[in-house]
């Protein structure tokens, strides 16, 4: 079960510290074993709140942590973007690695026409998103990689069927 640390509900972004602490405690007590965040959630505030909250939880009880980023197709250099994004997220989270790092882009056949979208080729081709994220796994910065699975169904099937990502 995953606790969403984003804008929907906004507990880790907008609530006071006692409310944040109580929300995470209640989630863990209810069986939640995963917290999902992103650099964009509260412009980093969600990741920052998780940093101190996780330090208050005994190691054996700590949930898995995932975060995500959106790649900028116009900036190119997917590997550089991924490295910068995970480094900044890990600094905010005060962690050495996260369990799952997700590409938070739509998959579309005409990606240039759809905001925040990438094509199947940009995900799977040489020097693409999958290669960039694989390098983060090899560096030990992330345990697994994923896509958030939004976009064109046929394109998503192709990306998922590649077996390059642990979850979608």
């Amino acid at each position: 079960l995953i606790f969403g640390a984003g804008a929907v509900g906004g507990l880790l972004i907008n609530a006071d510290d006692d409310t944040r602490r109580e929300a995470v405690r209640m989630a863990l007590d209810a069986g939640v074993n995963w917290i999902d965040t992103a650099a964009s959630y509260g412009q980093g505030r969600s990741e920052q709140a998780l940093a101190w909250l996780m330090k208050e939880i005994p190691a054996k009880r700590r949930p898995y942590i995932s975060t995500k980023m959106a790649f900028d197709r116009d900036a190119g250099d997917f590997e550089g973007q991924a490295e910068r994004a995970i480094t900044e997220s890990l600094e905010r989270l005060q962690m050495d690695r996260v369990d799952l790092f997700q590409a938070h882009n739509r998959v579309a056949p005409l990606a240039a026409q759809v905001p925040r979208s990438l094509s199947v080729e940009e995900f799977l081709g040489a020097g693409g998103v999958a290669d960039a994220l694989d390098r983060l796994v090899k560096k030990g910065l992330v345990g697994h990689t994923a896509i958030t699975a939004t976009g064109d169904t046929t394109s998503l099937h192709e990306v998922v069927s590649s077996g390059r990502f642990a979850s979608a």
Side-chain angles (χ1 to χ4, degrees), residues 69-81 84 118 122:
M69 68 164 293
F71 286 87
D72 179 351
R73 70 186 341 251
D74 296 327
D77 184 25
F78 292 143
E79 186 175 324
Q81 287 185 59
R84 285 186 297 279
L118 298 174
E122 288 168 316

Side-chain angles (χ1 to χ4, degrees), residues 2-139:
I2 297 176
F3 180 99
V8 177
L11 289 171
L12 294 189
I13 298 169
N14 301 317
D16 61 81
D17 290 351
D18 287 339
T19 301
R20 291 173 179 171
R21 186 177 287 114
E22 182 66 8
V24 169
R25 185 198 61 75
M26 288 176 66
L28 295 175
D29 288 350
V32 169
N33 66 349
W34 199 292
I35 297 178
D36 180 65
T37 187
S40 63
Y41 293 173
Q43 297 157 332
R45 290 193 318 273
S46 174
E47 290 178 333
Q48 290 167 336
L50 277 173
W52 65 264
L53 286 164
M54 291 304 102
K55 288 180 181 176
E56 293 183 355
I57 298 169
K60 66 181 180 178
R61 193 160 186 240
R62 271 188 213 132
Y64 297 104
I65 301 291
S66 56
T67 192
K68 60 186 82 68
M69 68 164 293
F71 286 87
D72 179 351
R73 70 186 341 251
D74 296 327
D77 184 25
F78 292 143
E79 186 175 324
Q81 287 185 59
E83 180 100 23
R84 285 186 297 279
I86 193 62
T87 299
E88 291 168 4
S89 285
L90 291 173
E91 286 174 8
R92 281 187 294 274
L93 288 162
Q94 297 178 21
M95 298 173 76
D96 296 328
R97 70 184 292 280
V98 292
D99 299 293
L100 184 73
F101 192 54
Q102 304 169 84
H104 197 30
N105 294 84
R106 295 176 59 79
V107 185
L110 301 173
Q113 298 174 5
V114 182
R116 288 182 37 150
S117 291
L118 298 174
S119 67
V120 171
E121 179 62 25
E122 288 168 316
F123 270 95
L124 302 178
V129 169
D131 286 350
L133 295 179
D134 285 347
R135 292 204 36 95
L136 300 180
V137 173
K138 288 177 185 160
K139 290 182 175 193

